[in-house]
Every structure is written in C-alpha cells, then in structure tokens.
Amino acid sequence: MHFTSGHRLDDGVTEREFTLGEVPGILWTPASASATAPAPLILLGHPPLGLRKMYPRLVARARHSAADGFATATIELPGSGDRPRWPAAEQARADLRRAMEAGEPVSDEIVDALVLPLVERAVPEWQAALDAVLSLPEIGGPVGYSGGVISIGIRLAVVEPRISAAVLFAGSFLPRTIFEEARQVTIPLHVLLQWDDEGNDRQAALDLFDAFGSEEKSLHAHLGGHTGVPQFAGDAAAQFFTRHLK
C-alpha cells in the first residue's frame, strides 16, 4: 500500500489517496483515530463510474461516517476511472443498452457477462485493500460494507469473514448465481430500496431480500427514483453501523 497524497479536510478528517498495485483508492480517517484508539472501518462501495465522478458522494459519505467515529475506504473498480478499459465489459454494457432501448427483456446471458467478471475481479481487490488498511495502527475492526454494486456486496458478505454487517442498495442486475449466494449471507443487513426506481426490477429486489439468509435483516423502502434516497435513510444506515460495529 503506497500513499500518494494526503491532506486534512476542514472537519478534521484525514483524506489519503493510495495505490495497491495497479488499484487506486482513498482512505478517510476521523480525527479521533489513533494507535491506542483505532477506528472501526466501513468499506464504501460505488457503481463503476470512476472515483473522480463518484468523489463528491463518496467524500460526503466518508465525512458523515467519520462524525460517528468510523474510518472509511474505497477503491477503483476494474475497468473504471483511469484503470485500463475492459473490452468485454464495454461490449456487455452496449448489449444492455441495446436491449433496454429496444424495450426487450435483458437476458441472463447479458447480465452474467456484465456482472460476474466484475465480481470475480473486484472482490479479491477489495480483500487485498482490507488487508492493507487493517495493517495500519489507527484502523481496527469490526468492518462494515456499504453500497455499491450489490453483487459485489453479496459475494464479499459470503467470502470475507472480517465483514460484520452490510448496508446494501437494492436494484442492480443480479445473476442467478449471485442470487443463490445471497442465501449464504448470515451477517446483519440493512437494505435500501427506491420504490420507483425506473431502471430496476422492484419484485426482483423483494425476492432477493427474502432470499438473504441473515437472521437480522431489514428492508427500508422509500418513494422516489434511483437518486432520490432521502437524507434520513442515510442517518438510519449510520445508526445501523453504530449498533453493529461499535
């Protein structure tokens, strides 16, 4: 893990950019964190739009979490941002756009080609980032995962025992194999669903929630489209992490 820059935000949060091999990322640490009082960690997921484009939302989430005493970290997804383009992913996105513009059903083959290679590449990178961040003396467990591509969150919840709780944003295309993996998820879950999200299948999101194997899981549905998540929903998610990670 190599830090490439660092500065303190006006609320005392330290922001450090890093690289882990070819993978860029950002770590935010609250002022309260120290070697004698390490901060619990939340991994901030995001859609594959690039860290630069997602930065305003990510830093807002990080600062909100820091106010509750959490460190947060995120990494660039494969094929996004300044990372090398991924021809197979570009083709899958083009096939998805064509199907949706034509009003045709999105086939399992398109969903698998779009999502599964991303999950296979991204999850080990998240685990490597978790190794590196937890090696810092001012960062400790427990660890939570928040948002991003829900298939990545599901896979991480299944294979990464250091993740103790997760906030998931329902509504991205879900391969059948990931749906089956959801039955193996046992950590506490706080799932957000935008009821009128025009780009996502509401019933599929409800079926996925039903499939999760967690004994503690809650579904928080709000009226509005994809970007209309209300502020109080974020506050409830923060309270969820405070209960389970502190």
Side-chain angles (χ1 to χ4, degrees):
M1 187 180 198
H2 174 63
F3 287 106
T4 57
S5 69
H7 65 282
R8 192 176 296 274
L9 306 180
D10 57 15
D11 54 2
V13 177
T14 299
E15 177 181 283
R16 288 178 284 177
E17 296 185 9
F18 64 85
T19 57
L20 193 64
E22 66 174 17
V23 182
I26 309 173
L27 172 66
W28 292 274
T29 310
S32 60
S34 68
T36 57
L41 176 67
I42 298 174
L43 303 177
L44 298 182
H46 55 88
L49 301 175
L51 285 183
R52 292 181 183 177
K53 185 172 183 179
M54 293 303 301
Y55 176 81
R57 296 186 195 176
L58 288 166
V59 72
R61 291 165 62 192
R63 296 174 83 160
H64 193 274
S65 297
D68 292 326
F70 294 104
T72 49
T74 192
I75 58 173
E76 188 74 86
L77 292 177
S80 297
D82 294 329
R83 297 188 65 179
R85 296 299 93 186
W86 194 357
E90 299 289 338
Q91 182 61 54
R93 281 193 283 269
D95 292 342
L96 174 65
R97 284 194 298 270
R98 278 197 295 271
M100 296 184 71
E101 290 170 359
E104 299 172 352
V106 179
S107 68
D108 289 344
E109 290 75 14
I110 292 176
V111 173
D112 287 354
L114 182 69
V115 178
L116 289 179
L118 176 63
V119 172
E120 294 294 337
R121 293 194 185 190
V123 166
E125 293 178 351
W126 274 111
Q127 290 181 292
L130 184 55
D131 290 340
V133 173
L134 288 180
S135 72
L136 301 173
E138 70 273 23
I139 310 295
V143 179
Y145 177 86
S146 175
V149 178
I150 196 169
S151 292
I152 293 176
I154 291 170
R155 175 67 62 81
L156 275 170
V158 172
V159 304
E160 181 46 72
R162 291 172 292 184
I163 294 178
S164 301
V167 171
L168 301 177
F169 299 167
S172 52
F173 292 103
L174 194 76
R176 293 183 184 275
T177 56
I178 299 294
F179 187 94
E180 291 305 315
E181 287 183 33
R183 304 184 190 280
Q184 303 174 46
V185 175
T186 58
I187 61 174
L189 295 177
H190 180 104
V191 182
L192 295 171
L193 170 64
Q194 286 302 103
W195 199 250
D196 305 303
D197 190 339
E198 62 284 350
N200 294 306
D201 186 329
R202 181 194 302 165
Q203 188 57 53
L206 296 174
D207 291 343
L208 175 63
F209 179 78
D210 189 50
F212 285 126
S214 304
E215 291 186 5
E216 180 186 338
K217 57 181 180 179
S218 58
L219 178 66
H220 301 255
H222 306 98
L223 297 177
H226 186 72
T227 60
V229 180
Q231 178 61 46
F232 65 80
D235 294 339
Q239 292 168 7
F240 167 82
F241 277 134
T242 297
R243 288 198 308 275
H244 291 286
L245 303 182
K246 296 187 73 175

